[in-house]
Amino acid sequence: AQICFLGGGNMAMSIIAGLVSDGVSPKSITVVDRHQEKLESLNQLFHVKTTVDLTSAVKAADILILCVKPQ
């Protein structure tokens, strides 16, 4: 299953760390965020796919996880 995280902050990082340590392939995880530095950090730490293209990422996902602060 393709998993898409909407938001690349601390909550997403914690969940991704758990998923990867439990054996979920980083290739099945995509993170969408508007801050490039967060995406680069997540890619370096976990080797997940990252993008700023929300539409494409959501269309390709089987599971969406919202990791954004309500504002």
Side-chain angles (χ1 to χ4, degrees):
Q2 291 295 313
I3 304 169
C4 179
F5 284 82
L6 303 181
N10 291 331
M11 183 173 24
M13 186 178 296
S14 295
I15 297 170
I16 291 168
L19 289 171
V20 171
S21 72
D22 281 350
V24 174
S25 171
K27 293 179 181 180
S28 68
I29 299 173
T30 302
V31 181
V32 180
D33 199 288
R34 59 185 171 173
H35 298 103
Q36 192 63 38
E37 64 277 359
K38 288 182 182 180
L39 296 176
E40 290 172 7
S41 175
L42 287 166
N43 180 267
Q44 289 177 359
L45 286 171
F46 303 110
H47 306 289
V48 296
K49 295 179 277 185
T50 60
T51 185
V52 294
D53 185 357
L54 176 65
T55 303
S56 295
V58 169
K59 284 182 179 180
D62 299 308
I63 300 168
L64 294 175
I65 300 176
L66 301 177
C67 290
V68 294
K69 294 178 185 172
Q71 296 183 13

